Amino acid sequence: GVGKCLLDQEALYLPYMLPADLESVGVLGQQWSAFAQWETADINIARDGPPTKDSDSSLKGLRDFLGYARRHHGLRPDLGLFLKGHLISDYAGFKRARGVAASTTATELKRVKKFVRWHASECAPAEAAEVAKLLADLTRLINNFDALKPGPRDVAHLREENKWLSERELVGVLLNLEQRALAALCTGQTRKTAQLVMDACLTGISFLHLPPMRPRDVRSLQLQLEPALPPPCLHVSHTNKHKEAGPSESCKGDLLTRIVPNRFRLLVTHHKNFKEWGYRPLGPVILARANVGADFCSLLESHTTWGRQLLVVEGTDALFCSAEGKRWSESALSSRLVRLVERELALMKLPAKHI
């Protein structure tokens, strides 16, 4: 079942995720390497399903769950904690108390389940029955949260009960994030400020200042510095089931180009409305103070000139990156966007709503 969260409001919203550098957290780095090898191996009869190409999503799940265990239970981070059924139950209750959407909690519990499956393939015969029971209980818990997801027929009901985040409320929440990022610029060029600035730029491009974009399109955006040639397009439409297929010569990519300070050119070849617009891309459109506002231009200027460099790892071409400094996976970026809105709602002391 779902544990009852006894944390007060101040403790409930404290940062808790583990750092991206797991080598700094005891033996966790070695344990993660063993799991990642198990998850990504081409052939592994102990694993259900195909290998995972990108372990970023699993790493995020590890940092989230074990960070919760360390912050709120005082436990030393260790992959063995994924076998503690009561801890998983409390984690689910913690998410619910924070107002995290049921769909997001279900996704996070599915990440937890991956680590339980890994233990199931590695455990001794004497422990197999207990681990199998934990897997069955976790599956039922996930199904419970999946059943709470609002379907199309539920939206009207949620609106009647004022539990659906309206477009106007969403704009207010994102503008609050934008103002917090602007205020943070006064604290200097730190990694923490760079992260907040990137969050505001990410939501601003996704929802606020342009026609809404799908995560699969946002994750393929790249920064172009004139007069350099545009880089090869990263969009998923150039990837087939078996290998990376390079973009066609006619593809101009998804690019943000810094022209001069506080003035940018955006081209989104793969926007979701491409067909509806007569097979035309979004742009090239100029992003300047006159059409997207001085505040957003200042944030883009900070992100493209110094903030992004503090966050990405070498070899990452994307405009926006994950906590590990790499290009987002589509599912992880979708979850991140939801989390950012949920975090702002909490900071503004507004009730949690479905997004």
Side-chain angles (χ1 to χ4, degrees):
V2 178
K4 185 176 181 180
C5 183
L6 301 177
L7 298 173
D8 60 35
Q9 286 297 305
E10 183 177 354
L12 190 61
Y13 294 103
L14 287 173
Y16 66 92
M17 285 189 74
L18 292 182
D21 179 17
L22 296 182
E23 298 296 338
S24 65
V25 191
V27 298
L28 197 55
Q30 297 174 9
Q31 293 179 332
W32 164 252
S33 297
F35 171 83
Q37 184 177 2
W38 177 88
E39 186 180 38
T40 58
D42 289 338
I43 299 176
N44 183 356
I45 60 174
R47 181 194 62 225
D48 290 338
T52 300
K53 290 184 178 180
D54 188 348
S55 292
D56 281 356
S57 177
S58 296
L59 179 58
K60 180 181 178 182
L62 177 151
R63 293 173 57 218
D64 197 82
F65 178 76
L66 295 185
Y68 161 77
R70 182 173 72 168
R71 162 69 75 177
H72 296 299
H73 289 267
L75 297 173
R76 182 172 176 268
D78 187 283
L79 292 195
L81 296 179
F82 284 97
L83 292 177
K84 307 292 185 183
H86 69 279
L87 189 61
I88 296 174
S89 175
D90 289 347
Y91 175 69
F94 166 72
K95 291 292 181 178
R96 197 167 193 184
R98 280 172 66 101
V100 176
S103 57
T104 304
T105 302
T107 298
E108 289 165 339
L109 289 173
K110 288 171 185 174
R111 294 186 183 122
V112 169
K113 188 176 178 180
K114 282 187 179 182
F115 290 94
V116 180
R117 284 195 178 280
W118 174 64
H119 279 294
S121 70
E122 302 285 327
C123 69
E127 302 171 329
E130 186 177 348
V131 177
K133 181 180 183 303
L134 177 59
L135 276 172
D137 290 343
L138 185 51
T139 298
R140 283 192 289 270
L141 184 59
I142 291 169
N143 290 340
N144 285 175
F145 275 99
D146 272 329
L148 295 175
K149 294 180 185 179
R153 296 180 181 178
D154 299 321
V155 172
H157 179 65
L158 289 169
R159 282 178 174 152
E160 288 177 4
E161 295 188 346
N162 197 29
K163 293 181 179 179
W164 184 263
L165 191 69
S166 68
E167 292 84 353
R168 179 176 294 182
E169 289 172 319
L170 177 61
V171 168
V173 167
L174 299 183
L175 286 176
N176 189 73
L177 172 57
E178 195 170 278
Q179 290 304 309
R180 287 202 308 115
L182 284 168
L185 290 176
C186 301
T187 64
Q189 296 183 5
T190 65
R191 185 180 176 84
K192 183 178 180 180
T193 297
Q195 181 66 58
L196 188 57
V197 168
M198 184 175 71
D199 289 342
C201 291
L202 175 61
T203 56
I205 281 182
S206 299
F207 305 122
L208 192 57
H209 297 289
L210 294 159
M213 294 170 58
R214 288 178 176 147
R216 67 165 51 188
D217 305 333
V218 176
R219 69 186 287 265
S220 67
L221 282 171
Q222 298 179 82
L223 176 63
Q224 181 185 9
L225 301 176
E226 290 190 321
L229 293 173
C233 183
L234 296 175
H235 196 267
V236 70
S237 61
H238 301 304
T239 307
N240 63 27
K241 188 175 182 180
H242 304 288
K243 63 180 180 179
E244 286 287 330
S248 65
E249 293 182 1
S250 62
C251 179
K252 297 180 180 179
D254 303 318
L255 302 171
L256 180 74
T257 305
R258 182 175 179 270
I259 305 171
V260 294
N262 293 298
R263 189 174 179 85
F264 304 85
R265 181 172 61 248
L266 180 70
L267 172 66
V268 184
T269 302
H270 302 284
H271 194 277
K272 66 187 181 75
N273 292 344
F274 178 69
K275 291 184 179 179
E276 288 78 359
W277 292 339
Y279 295 91
R280 289 179 296 177
L282 172 63
V285 60
I286 299 299
L287 305 183
R289 293 173 176 174
N291 59 351
V292 294
D295 291 347
F296 189 60
C297 284
S298 296
L299 293 172
L300 282 177
E301 179 72 13
S302 297
H303 178 61
T304 56
T305 55
W306 61 267
R308 179 180 173 277
Q309 289 87 319
L310 293 179
L311 300 173
V312 298
V313 297
E314 186 176 354
T316 299
D317 298 323
L319 177 63
F320 302 116
C321 67
S322 66
E324 293 74 40
K326 301 177 182 179
R327 187 161 71 105
W328 288 101
S329 68
E330 184 177 349
S331 60
L333 180 54
S334 297
S335 297
R336 177 61 178 173
L337 289 166
V338 171
R339 279 172 177 264
L340 290 176
V341 175
E342 290 173 341
R343 185 183 69 185
E344 289 306 305
L345 282 169
L347 290 172
M348 297 169 71
K349 299 189 184 303
L350 295 174
K353 294 190 176 184
H354 290 283
I355 302 165

